[in-house]
Amino acid sequence: MQNDFVRHLRQHSTGMYRKNRWQKLHLDLPLIVLLMLLCGVGLLVLYSATDQSQHYVKRQLAYYGIGFFVMLVTAQLSPRLLVRWAAAPYGMGLLLLVAVLFFGVGAKGAQRWLELGGFRFQPSEIMKIAVPLMLASYLGQRPLPPAFRYIVAALLMMALPGLLVGLQPDLGTALLIFASGFFVLFLAGLHKRYMGGAALLALAAIPLFWLFLLHDYQKQRILTLLDPQADRLGSGWNIIQSTTAIGSGGWQGKGWMQGTQSQLDFLPEPHTDFIIAVLSEEFGLTGVLSLLGLYLLIVGRCLFLTLRASNMFGRLLAGSIALTFFVYVVVNMGMVSGVLPVVGVPLPLVSYGGTSIVTLLLGFGMLMAVCVGKK
């Protein structure tokens, strides 16, 4: 399937499309409108989830403003410049991840942030963009499908930041970094026998992960997924409260700022990782399906733009950004609804948090740079 996708991409040429006014500015208006709609939904739910706190809303607005500014500037970059300097953000990200291990700021048992001049940020978020950028640059300049030695090199580029992030520990972000790199390999035409072999190795490594790599709290999260009722007031509390909030919303929801689970502080982290539970309780299944539809429109628009990239580097990078964005949504909704373990992945562009917002919009800026911008 992926080989057919790659061949299909190769048949397109930039001459098939006539640029409109926005595209001459290296921007895609439909994508920007969809992203702004999503941010608007985020502000609406955040206001309710934070007990009508203007402090959180103003900070989130500032994050959106910075993020859109970064996106618009990044969209003006030349794809050739991105290829030439792809190693720079990757190398800088690795150095920052090493710095986190020695000078990082801890919170809730994890050491994931750096604090400079009163500003706290999470370097692992940078690698969600730096890894696919690096791999797209590396594989885009080589014959495809990639030979075995190129695949090994790509896996090492993915494994190194994944290992450093796993040491923080932040298993959710490590998996997302790996996913962003894997999508580049997948779209490059990774052969089925390599994917089958990797799947078998992953299954065989599960006992080793369980015995030697996973921390006790990570094991507990997996056990809680299987039976949250076993520790209702402890490790199972988050899942039980979030699923209760989701179920109590019904079809239409209880109304904006009328959710009992969130407004009475039963729901954990209602403005960050569990914000979808607030939306579900207050706007019901109708609201969740509408939000999911908005996400699918964004991903679909990104994949459409991927077809317009003028070279293999752009197609690999844009395709990875679009598919990784979708994985964010699936993982967050899955963990909040009790289908996946809680791994600390925010709902993209809806959950409160500056680093995640700026990084995601930086990725969309790169996507427009390689698909809409200069050739």
PDB file of all heavy atoms in Angstrom, residues 60-95:
ATOM      1  N   GLN A  60      -3.176  30.830  27.180  1.00  0.00           N
ATOM      2  CA  GLN A  60      -3.373  29.964  26.008  1.00  0.00           C
ATOM      3  C   GLN A  60      -3.471  30.804  24.732  1.00  0.00           C
ATOM      4  O   GLN A  60      -2.941  30.416  23.677  1.00  0.00           O
ATOM      5  CB  GLN A  60      -4.655  29.130  26.194  1.00  0.00           C
ATOM      6  CG  GLN A  60      -4.860  28.049  25.130  1.00  0.00           C
ATOM      7  CD  GLN A  60      -4.068  26.777  25.429  1.00  0.00           C
ATOM      8  OE1 GLN A  60      -3.027  26.823  26.079  1.00  0.00           O
ATOM      9  NE2 GLN A  60      -4.558  25.663  24.947  1.00  0.00           N
ATOM     10  N   LEU A  61      -4.136  31.963  24.820  1.00  0.00           N
ATOM     11  CA  LEU A  61      -4.201  32.861  23.662  1.00  0.00           C
ATOM     12  C   LEU A  61      -2.808  33.323  23.248  1.00  0.00           C
ATOM     13  O   LEU A  61      -2.492  33.415  22.042  1.00  0.00           O
ATOM     14  CB  LEU A  61      -5.071  34.071  24.011  1.00  0.00           C
ATOM     15  CG  LEU A  61      -6.556  33.980  23.671  1.00  0.00           C
ATOM     16  CD1 LEU A  61      -7.295  35.183  24.229  1.00  0.00           C
ATOM     17  CD2 LEU A  61      -6.762  33.875  22.164  1.00  0.00           C
ATOM     18  N   ALA A  62      -1.969  33.605  24.255  1.00  0.00           N
ATOM     19  CA  ALA A  62      -0.587  34.004  23.948  1.00  0.00           C
ATOM     20  C   ALA A  62       0.162  32.870  23.267  1.00  0.00           C
ATOM     21  O   ALA A  62       0.915  33.097  22.305  1.00  0.00           O
ATOM     22  CB  ALA A  62       0.125  34.414  25.240  1.00  0.00           C
ATOM     23  N   TYR A  63      -0.049  31.633  23.742  1.00  0.00           N
ATOM     24  CA  TYR A  63       0.608  30.477  23.113  1.00  0.00           C
ATOM     25  C   TYR A  63       0.145  30.327  21.658  1.00  0.00           C
ATOM     26  O   TYR A  63       0.951  30.055  20.762  1.00  0.00           O
ATOM     27  CB  TYR A  63       0.292  29.194  23.884  1.00  0.00           C
ATOM     28  CG  TYR A  63       0.841  29.163  25.295  1.00  0.00           C
ATOM     29  CD1 TYR A  63       0.155  28.519  26.324  1.00  0.00           C
ATOM     30  CD2 TYR A  63       2.064  29.760  25.607  1.00  0.00           C
ATOM     31  CE1 TYR A  63       0.663  28.481  27.613  1.00  0.00           C
ATOM     32  CE2 TYR A  63       2.571  29.726  26.901  1.00  0.00           C
ATOM     33  CZ  TYR A  63       1.861  29.095  27.900  1.00  0.00           C
ATOM     34  OH  TYR A  63       2.359  29.061  29.184  1.00  0.00           O
ATOM     35  N   TYR A  64      -1.168  30.479  21.439  1.00  0.00           N
ATOM     36  CA  TYR A  64      -1.675  30.404  20.064  1.00  0.00           C
ATOM     37  C   TYR A  64      -1.040  31.493  19.198  1.00  0.00           C
ATOM     38  O   TYR A  64      -0.657  31.248  18.040  1.00  0.00           O
ATOM     39  CB  TYR A  64      -3.205  30.563  20.038  1.00  0.00           C
ATOM     40  CG  TYR A  64      -3.980  29.359  20.532  1.00  0.00           C
ATOM     41  CD1 TYR A  64      -5.126  29.519  21.302  1.00  0.00           C
ATOM     42  CD2 TYR A  64      -3.577  28.067  20.214  1.00  0.00           C
ATOM     43  CE1 TYR A  64      -5.855  28.428  21.749  1.00  0.00           C
ATOM     44  CE2 TYR A  64      -4.297  26.963  20.663  1.00  0.00           C
ATOM     45  CZ  TYR A  64      -5.437  27.159  21.422  1.00  0.00           C
ATOM     46  OH  TYR A  64      -6.152  26.066  21.868  1.00  0.00           O
ATOM     47  N   GLY A  65      -0.953  32.711  19.753  1.00  0.00           N
ATOM     48  CA  GLY A  65      -0.373  33.815  18.985  1.00  0.00           C
ATOM     49  C   GLY A  65       1.072  33.536  18.597  1.00  0.00           C
ATOM     50  O   GLY A  65       1.471  33.731  17.437  1.00  0.00           O
ATOM     51  N   ILE A  66       1.861  33.068  19.571  1.00  0.00           N
ATOM     52  CA  ILE A  66       3.259  32.728  19.275  1.00  0.00           C
ATOM     53  C   ILE A  66       3.327  31.597  18.257  1.00  0.00           C
ATOM     54  O   ILE A  66       4.115  31.627  17.303  1.00  0.00           O
ATOM     55  CB  ILE A  66       3.987  32.332  20.582  1.00  0.00           C
ATOM     56  CG1 ILE A  66       4.048  33.521  21.543  1.00  0.00           C
ATOM     57  CG2 ILE A  66       5.393  31.816  20.282  1.00  0.00           C
ATOM     58  CD1 ILE A  66       4.555  33.164  22.929  1.00  0.00           C
ATOM     59  N   GLY A  67       2.474  30.587  18.452  1.00  0.00           N
ATOM     60  CA  GLY A  67       2.491  29.434  17.559  1.00  0.00           C
ATOM     61  C   GLY A  67       2.151  29.798  16.124  1.00  0.00           C
ATOM     62  O   GLY A  67       2.821  29.372  15.180  1.00  0.00           O
ATOM     63  N   PHE A  68       1.098  30.622  15.931  1.00  0.00           N
ATOM     64  CA  PHE A  68       0.717  31.015  14.560  1.00  0.00           C
ATOM     65  C   PHE A  68       1.790  31.903  13.936  1.00  0.00           C
ATOM     66  O   PHE A  68       2.038  31.831  12.731  1.00  0.00           O
ATOM     67  CB  PHE A  68      -0.644  31.716  14.575  1.00  0.00           C
ATOM     68  CG  PHE A  68      -1.795  30.756  14.497  1.00  0.00           C
ATOM     69  CD1 PHE A  68      -2.483  30.381  15.634  1.00  0.00           C
ATOM     70  CD2 PHE A  68      -2.185  30.209  13.279  1.00  0.00           C
ATOM     71  CE1 PHE A  68      -3.535  29.481  15.572  1.00  0.00           C
ATOM     72  CE2 PHE A  68      -3.240  29.311  13.198  1.00  0.00           C
ATOM     73  CZ  PHE A  68      -3.922  28.941  14.355  1.00  0.00           C
ATOM     74  N   PHE A  69       2.423  32.744  14.759  1.00  0.00           N
ATOM     75  CA  PHE A  69       3.512  33.564  14.223  1.00  0.00           C
ATOM     76  C   PHE A  69       4.660  32.677  13.744  1.00  0.00           C
ATOM     77  O   PHE A  69       5.200  32.873  12.641  1.00  0.00           O
ATOM     78  CB  PHE A  69       4.005  34.538  15.301  1.00  0.00           C
ATOM     79  CG  PHE A  69       5.198  35.352  14.877  1.00  0.00           C
ATOM     80  CD1 PHE A  69       5.050  36.419  14.011  1.00  0.00           C
ATOM     81  CD2 PHE A  69       6.471  35.032  15.338  1.00  0.00           C
ATOM     82  CE1 PHE A  69       6.159  37.157  13.607  1.00  0.00           C
ATOM     83  CE2 PHE A  69       7.576  35.766  14.944  1.00  0.00           C
ATOM     84  CZ  PHE A  69       7.416  36.834  14.071  1.00  0.00           C
ATOM     85  N   VAL A  70       5.031  31.700  14.567  1.00  0.00           N
ATOM     86  CA  VAL A  70       6.094  30.763  14.176  1.00  0.00           C
ATOM     87  C   VAL A  70       5.699  30.004  12.911  1.00  0.00           C
ATOM     88  O   VAL A  70       6.515  29.786  12.009  1.00  0.00           O
ATOM     89  CB  VAL A  70       6.380  29.782  15.344  1.00  0.00           C
ATOM     90  CG1 VAL A  70       7.295  28.652  14.890  1.00  0.00           C
ATOM     91  CG2 VAL A  70       6.999  30.518  16.513  1.00  0.00           C
ATOM     92  N   MET A  71       4.431  29.601  12.839  1.00  0.00           N
ATOM     93  CA  MET A  71       3.961  28.862  11.662  1.00  0.00           C
ATOM     94  C   MET A  71       4.069  29.706  10.390  1.00  0.00           C
ATOM     95  O   MET A  71       4.559  29.236   9.346  1.00  0.00           O
ATOM     96  CB  MET A  71       2.503  28.425  11.871  1.00  0.00           C
ATOM     97  CG  MET A  71       1.920  27.609  10.725  1.00  0.00           C
ATOM     98  SD  MET A  71       0.166  27.230  10.964  1.00  0.00           S
ATOM     99  CE  MET A  71      -0.554  28.843  10.603  1.00  0.00           C
ATOM    100  N   LEU A  72       3.634  30.972  10.469  1.00  0.00           N
ATOM    101  CA  LEU A  72       3.661  31.846   9.286  1.00  0.00           C
ATOM    102  C   LEU A  72       5.095  32.123   8.836  1.00  0.00           C
ATOM    103  O   LEU A  72       5.387  32.156   7.639  1.00  0.00           O
ATOM    104  CB  LEU A  72       2.938  33.163   9.596  1.00  0.00           C
ATOM    105  CG  LEU A  72       1.447  33.035   9.918  1.00  0.00           C
ATOM    106  CD1 LEU A  72       0.858  34.394  10.253  1.00  0.00           C
ATOM    107  CD2 LEU A  72       0.692  32.401   8.758  1.00  0.00           C
ATOM    108  N   VAL A  73       5.997  32.305   9.806  1.00  0.00           N
ATOM    109  CA  VAL A  73       7.404  32.548   9.461  1.00  0.00           C
ATOM    110  C   VAL A  73       8.041  31.293   8.852  1.00  0.00           C
ATOM    111  O   VAL A  73       8.739  31.348   7.834  1.00  0.00           O
ATOM    112  CB  VAL A  73       8.193  33.008  10.704  1.00  0.00           C
ATOM    113  CG1 VAL A  73       9.688  33.068  10.402  1.00  0.00           C
ATOM    114  CG2 VAL A  73       7.693  34.371  11.171  1.00  0.00           C
ATOM    115  N   THR A  74       7.770  30.150   9.479  1.00  0.00           N
ATOM    116  CA  THR A  74       8.353  28.892   8.998  1.00  0.00           C
ATOM    117  C   THR A  74       7.879  28.566   7.593  1.00  0.00           C
ATOM    118  O   THR A  74       8.636  28.010   6.781  1.00  0.00           O
ATOM    119  CB  THR A  74       7.985  27.743   9.957  1.00  0.00           C
ATOM    120  OG1 THR A  74       8.373  28.095  11.284  1.00  0.00           O
ATOM    121  CG2 THR A  74       8.684  26.451   9.554  1.00  0.00           C
ATOM    122  N   ALA A  75       6.632  28.911   7.287  1.00  0.00           N
ATOM    123  CA  ALA A  75       6.091  28.621   5.959  1.00  0.00           C
ATOM    124  C   ALA A  75       6.848  29.357   4.854  1.00  0.00           C
ATOM    125  O   ALA A  75       6.773  28.975   3.682  1.00  0.00           O
ATOM    126  CB  ALA A  75       4.607  28.986   5.914  1.00  0.00           C
ATOM    127  N   GLN A  76       7.573  30.404   5.212  1.00  0.00           N
ATOM    128  CA  GLN A  76       8.309  31.173   4.204  1.00  0.00           C
ATOM    129  C   GLN A  76       9.675  30.556   3.880  1.00  0.00           C
ATOM    130  O   GLN A  76      10.361  30.995   2.954  1.00  0.00           O
ATOM    131  CB  GLN A  76       8.521  32.618   4.685  1.00  0.00           C
ATOM    132  CG  GLN A  76       7.263  33.318   5.160  1.00  0.00           C
ATOM    133  CD  GLN A  76       6.135  33.246   4.138  1.00  0.00           C
ATOM    134  OE1 GLN A  76       6.345  33.524   2.955  1.00  0.00           O
ATOM    135  NE2 GLN A  76       4.949  32.852   4.582  1.00  0.00           N
ATOM    136  N   LEU A  77      10.081  29.538   4.660  1.00  0.00           N
ATOM    137  CA  LEU A  77      11.394  28.943   4.453  1.00  0.00           C
ATOM    138  C   LEU A  77      11.412  28.108   3.175  1.00  0.00           C
ATOM    139  O   LEU A  77      10.423  27.483   2.796  1.00  0.00           O
ATOM    140  CB  LEU A  77      11.773  28.059   5.653  1.00  0.00           C
ATOM    141  CG  LEU A  77      11.873  28.771   7.009  1.00  0.00           C
ATOM    142  CD1 LEU A  77      12.199  27.765   8.101  1.00  0.00           C
ATOM    143  CD2 LEU A  77      12.930  29.862   6.959  1.00  0.00           C
ATOM    144  N   SER A  78      12.556  28.084   2.546  1.00  0.00           N
ATOM    145  CA  SER A  78      12.721  27.281   1.340  1.00  0.00           C
ATOM    146  C   SER A  78      12.912  25.815   1.713  1.00  0.00           C
ATOM    147  O   SER A  78      13.638  25.506   2.667  1.00  0.00           O
ATOM    148  CB  SER A  78      13.938  27.787   0.567  1.00  0.00           C
ATOM    149  OG  SER A  78      14.374  26.822  -0.357  1.00  0.00           O
ATOM    150  N   PRO A  79      12.290  24.877   0.971  1.00  0.00           N
ATOM    151  CA  PRO A  79      12.536  23.448   1.229  1.00  0.00           C
ATOM    152  C   PRO A  79      14.023  23.100   1.157  1.00  0.00           C
ATOM    153  O   PRO A  79      14.495  22.245   1.907  1.00  0.00           O
ATOM    154  CB  PRO A  79      11.738  22.756   0.117  1.00  0.00           C
ATOM    155  CG  PRO A  79      10.649  23.710  -0.220  1.00  0.00           C
ATOM    156  CD  PRO A  79      11.257  25.076  -0.063  1.00  0.00           C
ATOM    157  N   ARG A  80      14.753  23.762   0.265  1.00  0.00           N
ATOM    158  CA  ARG A  80      16.191  23.489   0.176  1.00  0.00           C
ATOM    159  C   ARG A  80      16.899  23.861   1.474  1.00  0.00           C
ATOM    160  O   ARG A  80      17.814  23.183   1.926  1.00  0.00           O
ATOM    161  CB  ARG A  80      16.797  24.283  -0.988  1.00  0.00           C
ATOM    162  CG  ARG A  80      16.331  23.808  -2.356  1.00  0.00           C
ATOM    163  CD  ARG A  80      16.991  24.611  -3.458  1.00  0.00           C
ATOM    164  NE  ARG A  80      16.558  24.165  -4.782  1.00  0.00           N
ATOM    165  CZ  ARG A  80      16.949  24.709  -5.915  1.00  0.00           C
ATOM    166  NH1 ARG A  80      17.796  25.748  -5.896  1.00  0.00           N
ATOM    167  NH2 ARG A  80      16.509  24.241  -7.063  1.00  0.00           N
ATOM    168  N   LEU A  81      16.447  24.973   2.082  1.00  0.00           N
ATOM    169  CA  LEU A  81      17.035  25.390   3.356  1.00  0.00           C
ATOM    170  C   LEU A  81      16.734  24.369   4.450  1.00  0.00           C
ATOM    171  O   LEU A  81      17.595  24.042   5.271  1.00  0.00           O
ATOM    172  CB  LEU A  81      16.487  26.766   3.749  1.00  0.00           C
ATOM    173  CG  LEU A  81      17.098  27.406   4.999  1.00  0.00           C
ATOM    174  CD1 LEU A  81      18.539  27.815   4.734  1.00  0.00           C
ATOM    175  CD2 LEU A  81      16.283  28.615   5.445  1.00  0.00           C
ATOM    176  N   LEU A  82      15.499  23.849   4.438  1.00  0.00           N
ATOM    177  CA  LEU A  82      15.130  22.839   5.436  1.00  0.00           C
ATOM    178  C   LEU A  82      15.966  21.580   5.274  1.00  0.00           C
ATOM    179  O   LEU A  82      16.389  20.973   6.259  1.00  0.00           O
ATOM    180  CB  LEU A  82      13.632  22.511   5.307  1.00  0.00           C
ATOM    181  CG  LEU A  82      12.665  23.623   5.713  1.00  0.00           C
ATOM    182  CD1 LEU A  82      11.229  23.212   5.410  1.00  0.00           C
ATOM    183  CD2 LEU A  82      12.803  23.953   7.195  1.00  0.00           C
ATOM    184  N   VAL A  83      16.203  21.168   4.042  1.00  0.00           N
ATOM    185  CA  VAL A  83      17.029  19.972   3.804  1.00  0.00           C
ATOM    186  C   VAL A  83      18.452  20.223   4.289  1.00  0.00           C
ATOM    187  O   VAL A  83      19.047  19.385   4.984  1.00  0.00           O
ATOM    188  CB  VAL A  83      17.025  19.615   2.300  1.00  0.00           C
ATOM    189  CG1 VAL A  83      18.030  18.500   2.035  1.00  0.00           C
ATOM    190  CG2 VAL A  83      15.638  19.185   1.862  1.00  0.00           C
ATOM    191  N   ARG A  84      18.997  21.378   3.935  1.00  0.00           N
ATOM    192  CA  ARG A  84      20.394  21.675   4.236  1.00  0.00           C
ATOM    193  C   ARG A  84      20.638  21.755   5.741  1.00  0.00           C
ATOM    194  O   ARG A  84      21.680  21.338   6.234  1.00  0.00           O
ATOM    195  CB  ARG A  84      20.788  22.994   3.565  1.00  0.00           C
ATOM    196  CG  ARG A  84      22.274  23.336   3.677  1.00  0.00           C
ATOM    197  CD  ARG A  84      22.548  24.634   2.952  1.00  0.00           C
ATOM    198  NE  ARG A  84      22.079  24.587   1.564  1.00  0.00           N
ATOM    199  CZ  ARG A  84      21.935  25.653   0.784  1.00  0.00           C
ATOM    200  NH1 ARG A  84      22.199  26.857   1.266  1.00  0.00           N
ATOM    201  NH2 ARG A  84      21.513  25.520  -0.447  1.00  0.00           N
ATOM    202  N   TRP A  85      19.663  22.308   6.477  1.00  0.00           N
ATOM    203  CA  TRP A  85      19.855  22.530   7.913  1.00  0.00           C
ATOM    204  C   TRP A  85      19.053  21.563   8.781  1.00  0.00           C
ATOM    205  O   TRP A  85      18.847  21.828   9.968  1.00  0.00           O
ATOM    206  CB  TRP A  85      19.468  23.965   8.258  1.00  0.00           C
ATOM    207  CG  TRP A  85      20.436  24.965   7.697  1.00  0.00           C
ATOM    208  CD1 TRP A  85      20.316  25.651   6.519  1.00  0.00           C
ATOM    209  CD2 TRP A  85      21.688  25.353   8.259  1.00  0.00           C
ATOM    210  NE1 TRP A  85      21.401  26.447   6.305  1.00  0.00           N
ATOM    211  CE2 TRP A  85      22.272  26.284   7.371  1.00  0.00           C
ATOM    212  CE3 TRP A  85      22.370  25.010   9.420  1.00  0.00           C
ATOM    213  CZ2 TRP A  85      23.499  26.873   7.612  1.00  0.00           C
ATOM    214  CZ3 TRP A  85      23.595  25.590   9.664  1.00  0.00           C
ATOM    215  CH2 TRP A  85      24.148  26.512   8.772  1.00  0.00           C
ATOM    216  N   ALA A  86      18.630  20.450   8.206  1.00  0.00           N
ATOM    217  CA  ALA A  86      17.798  19.504   8.973  1.00  0.00           C
ATOM    218  C   ALA A  86      18.537  18.950  10.187  1.00  0.00           C
ATOM    219  O   ALA A  86      17.916  18.644  11.216  1.00  0.00           O
ATOM    220  CB  ALA A  86      17.349  18.361   8.067  1.00  0.00           C
ATOM    221  N   ALA A  87      19.853  18.799  10.077  1.00  0.00           N
ATOM    222  CA  ALA A  87      20.608  18.215  11.190  1.00  0.00           C
ATOM    223  C   ALA A  87      20.722  19.168  12.379  1.00  0.00           C
ATOM    224  O   ALA A  87      20.955  18.716  13.513  1.00  0.00           O
ATOM    225  CB  ALA A  87      22.005  17.811  10.719  1.00  0.00           C
ATOM    226  N   ALA A  88      20.566  20.480  12.140  1.00  0.00           N
ATOM    227  CA  ALA A  88      20.751  21.457  13.218  1.00  0.00           C
ATOM    228  C   ALA A  88      19.726  21.305  14.340  1.00  0.00           C
ATOM    229  O   ALA A  88      20.106  21.167  15.511  1.00  0.00           O
ATOM    230  CB  ALA A  88      20.749  22.874  12.648  1.00  0.00           C
ATOM    231  N   PRO A  89      18.405  21.329  14.036  1.00  0.00           N
ATOM    232  CA  PRO A  89      17.440  21.142  15.131  1.00  0.00           C
ATOM    233  C   PRO A  89      17.533  19.768  15.764  1.00  0.00           C
ATOM    234  O   PRO A  89      17.297  19.625  16.969  1.00  0.00           O
ATOM    235  CB  PRO A  89      16.074  21.367  14.461  1.00  0.00           C
ATOM    236  CG  PRO A  89      16.319  21.206  13.003  1.00  0.00           C
ATOM    237  CD  PRO A  89      17.724  21.627  12.761  1.00  0.00           C
ATOM    238  N   TYR A  90      17.898  18.767  14.948  1.00  0.00           N
ATOM    239  CA  TYR A  90      18.044  17.420  15.505  1.00  0.00           C
ATOM    240  C   TYR A  90      19.193  17.398  16.527  1.00  0.00           C
ATOM    241  O   TYR A  90      19.032  16.898  17.647  1.00  0.00           O
ATOM    242  CB  TYR A  90      18.299  16.430  14.376  1.00  0.00           C
ATOM    243  CG  TYR A  90      18.473  14.991  14.843  1.00  0.00           C
ATOM    244  CD1 TYR A  90      17.364  14.193  15.099  1.00  0.00           C
ATOM    245  CD2 TYR A  90      19.745  14.451  15.022  1.00  0.00           C
ATOM    246  CE1 TYR A  90      17.519  12.884  15.528  1.00  0.00           C
ATOM    247  CE2 TYR A  90      19.907  13.142  15.459  1.00  0.00           C
ATOM    248  CZ  TYR A  90      18.800  12.360  15.703  1.00  0.00           C
ATOM    249  OH  TYR A  90      18.966  11.059  16.135  1.00  0.00           O
ATOM    250  N   GLY A  91      20.349  17.939  16.146  1.00  0.00           N
ATOM    251  CA  GLY A  91      21.489  17.968  17.053  1.00  0.00           C
ATOM    252  C   GLY A  91      21.226  18.820  18.274  1.00  0.00           C
ATOM    253  O   GLY A  91      21.575  18.438  19.402  1.00  0.00           O
ATOM    254  N   MET A  92      20.586  19.976  18.065  1.00  0.00           N
ATOM    255  CA  MET A  92      20.280  20.845  19.203  1.00  0.00           C
ATOM    256  C   MET A  92      19.301  20.150  20.155  1.00  0.00           C
ATOM    257  O   MET A  92      19.430  20.240  21.386  1.00  0.00           O
ATOM    258  CB  MET A  92      19.677  22.160  18.707  1.00  0.00           C
ATOM    259  CG  MET A  92      19.376  23.152  19.812  1.00  0.00           C
ATOM    260  SD  MET A  92      18.648  24.674  19.167  1.00  0.00           S
ATOM    261  CE  MET A  92      20.005  25.253  18.125  1.00  0.00           C
ATOM    262  N   GLY A  93      18.326  19.457  19.572  1.00  0.00           N
ATOM    263  CA  GLY A  93      17.361  18.734  20.405  1.00  0.00           C
ATOM    264  C   GLY A  93      18.034  17.671  21.255  1.00  0.00           C
ATOM    265  O   GLY A  93      17.693  17.491  22.428  1.00  0.00           O
ATOM    266  N   LEU A  94      19.002  16.949  20.665  1.00  0.00           N
ATOM    267  CA  LEU A  94      19.721  15.928  21.436  1.00  0.00           C
ATOM    268  C   LEU A  94      20.481  16.559  22.599  1.00  0.00           C
ATOM    269  O   LEU A  94      20.474  16.030  23.722  1.00  0.00           O
ATOM    270  CB  LEU A  94      20.685  15.175  20.520  1.00  0.00           C
ATOM    271  CG  LEU A  94      20.075  14.198  19.508  1.00  0.00           C
ATOM    272  CD1 LEU A  94      21.166  13.546  18.677  1.00  0.00           C
ATOM    273  CD2 LEU A  94      19.238  13.137  20.216  1.00  0.00           C
ATOM    274  N   LEU A  95      21.144  17.692  22.332  1.00  0.00           N
ATOM    275  CA  LEU A  95      21.884  18.362  23.403  1.00  0.00           C
ATOM    276  C   LEU A  95      20.947  18.812  24.527  1.00  0.00           C
ATOM    277  O   LEU A  95      21.266  18.681  25.711  1.00  0.00           O
ATOM    278  CB  LEU A  95      22.639  19.566  22.831  1.00  0.00           C
ATOM    279  CG  LEU A  95      23.825  19.243  21.904  1.00  0.00           C
ATOM    280  CD1 LEU A  95      24.414  20.523  21.326  1.00  0.00           C
ATOM    281  CD2 LEU A  95      24.897  18.460  22.661  1.00  0.00           C
TER     282      LEU A  95
END
